[in-house]
Amino acid sequence: MKLPIRLAAFAILSISAWATTAAPLSGDQQALHVLDRLGYGPKPGDIERVKQMGIDRYIDAQLEPETIPLPAALTQRLSMLETSNESAGEVLAEFLAVRKVANDGDEAAKQKRREVVGKIVEQNAEARLARAIDSPRQLEEVMVDFWFNHFNVFAGKGLDRALVGSYERDAIRPYVLGSFRDLLGATAKHPAMLFYLDNWLSTSADYQPPQLRRNAAQGQKAKATGLNENYARELMELHTLGVDGGYSQKDVTELARMLTGWTFEPRDLVRNNHTFRFDAQRHDMGDKEWLGHHIGAQGQGEGEFALDVLAMHPSTAHHLSYELAQYFVQDNPSPELVERLSKRYLATNGNIREVLRTLFHSPEFMASANVGAKFKTPYQFVISAARASQAPITNVRPLLGVLNQLGMPLYGAQTPDGYKNTQAAWLNPDALTRRITFATALAAGRLPLNKMPGNDDKAAGAPAVAAQPLDAVMLLNTLGPAISGKTRATIDNNPQALRAAMVLGSPDFMQR
């Protein structure tokens, strides 16, 4: 039996028998739990550091990430990622320039386009993965992933390939622990969201672009772009109220009318980095009836009023509280916990940090029955393996490839609802086999993680840069109580060469 299949069988049998313990948590277990839930799992020595710091102090520090200094090496690495530090307009200009030349040019122009687009994609990905693996502000990184997924945009759609880096940096990251209203407004006005859900094209029914108005005056047929409801629908269904949040199709249409004129102009973005503008000529100036409110003509103020109402709606408080409890506690959180979080959300005007503080200090969060009860998504699995192994990573391409193989490409969720985070979504035999194949390659040092991107071995005729195989004892010490006594015994009964792969491919390591 091949090694990955052998390990997959071990994992499947073990997961089926995996059960949480009802015994009180030890100090090591509590430290591991906060490292797994507020972050992407322990690096070597992290469990001991959290124990010495104290659980409550660790949680409080993570809730105030600006108080935690970043390592100099990480800061330097991020500063060298040219594209991820450029403005949205600068990146879009470069993207549009090579796309135009490639559309009209030869194979060399098309190759140049591939190089530029590849650089944009890879530097955005490197910035995300480097922070997730090496930032001590682990909760901040978890919340960046959480809110990006909540307000998902698909990087594969047209201009969003160039805009997704700015979207995460400018519309998501600054607000992940702040006011939900601010986060909602930032995503609503970013060109990546305006483009992804088509609101940039949405106009009143009788709108005619200036050129077409001139053509109409000259007797030519003019065509209005018309109302587009895509963003308005997802704004209520996914971003705020939830699918059962108490709104109708009429409310969707009326909200879409209120948001007409919320757009961006690509040329203005390229020239002046203007990421949003309200176009009064595109706006539907008629009265609206929305969620029981009569809306008179207020221009951009109509959309701002809608975001105010949606951000503080009780259905939004419940929807967001359920999502947070499901992410941080268990797949089916208790109604009592969700209700407590909802009340806290409303009492603090949608303060995300305070809702999380209530969650992390709730009895449910540290309940032994919920410890290890979450099955890692592919992203969490890959990042936690990279952290635990502490393998030097200068080339993120192998990790991006693994995420693709595991069905969770970075920035690659095509639909607005993003990726699921439940066990039912990710646990199946094929997925386990793929995870174990990754664990085996990482443990054996076969992934070219320390080979500089762009150094094509085949083209250069150079040998692959081999990494050192992982030390199973180091991994077991790093992960502490994450690996049960039963699993450790199974690992000990196998050849030394297999043990590190068995640790990372074990059912225990796939839980958090």
Side-chain angles (χ1 to χ4, degrees):
M1 181 183 297
K2 292 182 178 179
L3 179 56
I5 297 176
R6 179 179 176 182
L7 293 177
F10 162 65
I12 292 170
L13 291 173
S14 300
I15 283 178
S16 64
W18 195 92
T20 54
T21 174
L25 300 182
S26 68
D28 282 10
Q29 288 173 318
Q30 291 183 37
L32 175 68
H33 184 57
V34 295
L35 287 163
D36 274 344
R37 295 296 174 91
L38 276 67
Y40 294 110
K43 280 189 166 190
D46 275 358
I47 291 178
E48 191 59 33
R49 278 191 285 274
V50 172
K51 283 171 56 183
Q52 292 178 358
M53 186 176 185
I55 301 299
D56 288 346
R57 282 188 60 204
Y58 177 78
I59 291 174
D60 290 343
Q62 290 296 314
L63 287 168
E64 306 288 346
E66 63 280 3
T67 66
I68 306 173
L70 291 179
L74 176 60
T75 300
Q76 181 181 16
R77 181 175 187 177
L78 295 174
S79 70
M80 295 175 66
L81 299 174
E82 179 184 2
T83 299
S84 69
N85 291 303
E86 290 179 339
S87 70
E90 289 172 325
V91 180
L92 184 61
E94 192 173 15
F95 176 82
L96 291 176
V98 295
R99 191 174 74 170
K100 183 177 186 303
V101 172
N103 288 341
D104 303 331
D106 54 14
E107 183 55 36
K110 294 176 181 177
Q111 176 60 28
K112 178 64 175 178
R113 178 185 61 183
R114 287 192 288 268
E115 291 174 1
V116 169
V117 172
K119 182 186 71 171
I120 293 171
V121 170
E122 193 161 293
Q123 291 201 2
N124 287 335
E126 182 172 349
R128 164 73 85 88
L129 296 181
R131 284 190 173 99
I133 294 169
D134 290 328
S135 174
R137 303 172 180 177
Q138 281 283 282
L139 179 61
E140 181 178 67
E141 298 311 310
V142 165
M143 295 310 294
V144 166
D145 181 54
F146 177 89
W147 288 123
F148 189 102
N149 196 59
H150 181 86
F151 293 103
N152 183 58
V153 301
F154 173 47
K157 181 178 178 179
L159 303 186
D160 273 350
R161 196 175 293 283
L163 297 172
V164 70
S166 163
Y167 180 66
E168 179 170 297
R169 181 192 62 205
D170 303 327
I172 301 286
R173 181 172 290 278
Y175 308 102
V176 296
L177 292 169
S179 159
F180 180 75
R181 172 62 179 87
D182 291 345
L183 175 61
L184 186 64
T187 56
K189 293 176 180 174
H190 196 280
M193 181 63 79
L194 291 166
F195 183 84
Y196 175 56
L197 290 177
D198 306 314
N199 205 76
W200 76 306
L201 298 173
S202 186
T203 71
S204 64
D206 58 355
Y207 170 74
Q208 292 182 358
Q211 181 61 42
L212 295 182
R213 286 202 298 273
R214 287 195 292 273
N215 291 341
Q218 297 167 6
Q220 299 181 32
K221 183 178 179 181
K223 181 180 179 182
T225 305
L227 189 68
N228 190 301
E229 298 180 353
N230 288 349
Y231 176 63
R233 178 176 294 103
E234 307 306 352
L235 176 58
M236 289 198 284
E237 178 178 330
L238 299 176
H239 300 171
T240 58
L241 305 179
V243 67
D244 298 319
Y247 63 91
S248 65
Q249 173 55 39
K250 174 73 180 306
D251 291 317
V252 173
T253 301
E254 294 294 88
L255 180 57
R257 293 178 62 209
M258 295 164 69
L259 291 166
T260 48
W262 284 48
T263 187
F264 75 104
E265 168 53 53
R267 284 176 297 182
D268 195 26
L269 175 55
V270 167
R271 293 170 182 168
N272 305 304
N273 198 39
H274 290 166
T275 55
F276 170 81
R277 76 183 180 107
F278 175 71
D279 187 341
Q281 291 189 332
R282 292 170 175 244
H283 185 63
D284 184 331
M285 298 300 289
D287 288 356
K288 294 94 177 176
E289 302 295 331
W290 174 71
L291 288 181
H293 299 274
H294 175 76
I295 312 295
Q298 304 171 47
Q300 183 180 344
E302 296 172 32
E304 300 288 356
F305 174 76
L307 297 185
D308 289 343
V309 170
L310 290 171
M312 289 311 299
H313 197 286
S315 293
T316 299
H318 182 275
H319 178 55
L320 299 181
S321 296
Y322 182 89
E323 285 191 342
L324 288 168
Q326 184 185 63
Y327 188 94
F328 284 104
V329 179
Q330 62 153 285
D331 288 356
N332 297 297
S334 72
E336 294 78 13
L337 174 61
V338 174
E339 180 62 19
R340 257 180 284 140
L341 299 179
S342 298
K343 288 181 177 177
R344 188 60 177 156
Y345 177 94
L346 294 172
T348 60
N349 293 318
N351 186 312
I352 299 166
R353 179 182 286 104
E354 293 310 312
V355 174
L356 287 176
R357 195 186 307 278
T358 300
L359 190 157
F360 296 145
H361 290 290
S362 71
E364 289 90 343
F365 177 71
M366 201 58 83
S368 57
N370 292 330
V371 173
K374 291 289 295 184
F375 188 72
K376 293 176 181 176
T377 67
Y379 182 76
Q380 292 163 345
F381 174 70
V382 169
I383 298 299
S384 62
R387 284 177 57 80
S389 66
Q390 210 171 28
I393 299 175
T394 56
N395 176 19
V396 299
R397 289 181 184 175
L399 301 185
L400 297 177
V402 170
L403 289 172
N404 290 341
Q405 293 166 11
L406 295 178
M408 197 176 187
L410 191 60
Y411 308 124
Q414 298 189 27
T415 54
D417 56 343
Y419 294 118
K420 308 296 183 188
N421 73 84
T422 61
Q423 177 171 300
W426 296 110
L427 177 57
N428 61 72
D430 180 63
L432 284 178
T433 301
R434 291 176 184 271
R435 287 188 184 208
I436 290 165
T437 298
F438 163 67
T440 303
L442 177 63
R446 293 204 302 267
L447 297 177
L449 297 172
N450 60 350
K451 185 185 73 171
M452 292 301 292
N455 181 13
D456 189 330
D457 292 336
K458 292 181 180 178
V465 179
Q468 290 296 315
L470 300 183
D471 183 344
V473 174
M474 182 278 289
L475 285 174
L476 289 170
N477 288 338
T478 297
L479 298 171
I483 308 301
S484 68
K486 181 179 179 181
T487 299
R488 287 171 184 261
T490 302
I491 293 171
D492 287 343
N493 288 330
N494 278 271
Q496 181 71 35
L498 298 182
R499 292 178 184 174
M502 294 187 76
V503 173
L504 298 178
S506 71
D508 299 356
F509 187 72
M510 295 185 196
Q511 305 285 150
R512 66 182 181 95

